[in-house]
Structure formats: C-alpha cells, structure tokens
Amino acid sequence: MTASRCRAQVCETHTAIVFFADDRAYQLKKPVDLGFLDYTTVAARRAACKCEVALNRRFALGWVSCEAPTHRRRNHSW
C-alpha cells in the first residue's frame, strides 16, 4: 500500500474488528469473554490469530500474516 490516503471499510463481529483497505485486510481481536471463548489476554488473542492463519493459509495462497501489538493509552484512547 502506498503512502496515499485511502478509505477503509470496517466490519465488526462479536470477536473482532476488520478493516478493509485497498487489497488488504487488517483484523483486531477484541479482548472479550463470551463464555465459549475467552480472548481477554494478549496470549489468547495471539493463539487465536495463529490458529486462524494456519486454517486459512491453504485457501489464501500468497497471503502474508503479520502480527503487531496494539495498546491503549491510560486515558483509553489509541
């Protein structure tokens, strides 16, 4: 993706927020506990992402996965 600005479409699910920008998608796992799954820790969200990549890799040839931590400031802003 170039440095030019683009608009992203946003899709929110019960466990993630997905941003679609140009030919890429960026997913943020939510820190939620729904009873049947618990993503309240960074380790749990990381493990879920790794499983998702492993499962989807066979259907998305050439798909590159990158992992980057996100943090909120003390005032709860990004």
Side-chain angles (χ1 to χ4, degrees):
M1 187 167 16
T2 65
S4 66
R5 293 179 181 239
C6 69
R7 286 194 169 282
Q9 291 184 325
V10 180
C11 179
E12 188 168 354
T13 70
H14 57 292
T15 61
I17 302 172
V18 184
F19 300 90
F20 299 96
D22 290 335
D23 63 344
R24 298 175 186 242
Y26 301 89
Q27 177 177 249
L28 297 174
K29 291 283 190 197
K30 294 178 182 178
V32 295
D33 181 352
L34 301 176
F36 60 93
L37 60 80
D38 183 354
Y39 290 164
T40 55
T41 66
V42 171
R45 292 190 299 278
R46 181 175 290 130
C49 286
K50 288 181 186 227
C51 287
E52 191 172 323
V53 168
L55 179 66
N56 291 322
R57 180 166 283 146
R58 60 193 162 154
F59 299 112
L61 300 175
W63 183 52
V64 178
S65 170
C66 296
E67 183 181 311
T70 57
H71 303 280
R72 281 194 175 177
R73 296 184 181 105
R74 290 178 193 248
N75 66 0
H76 300 287
S77 68
W78 294 100

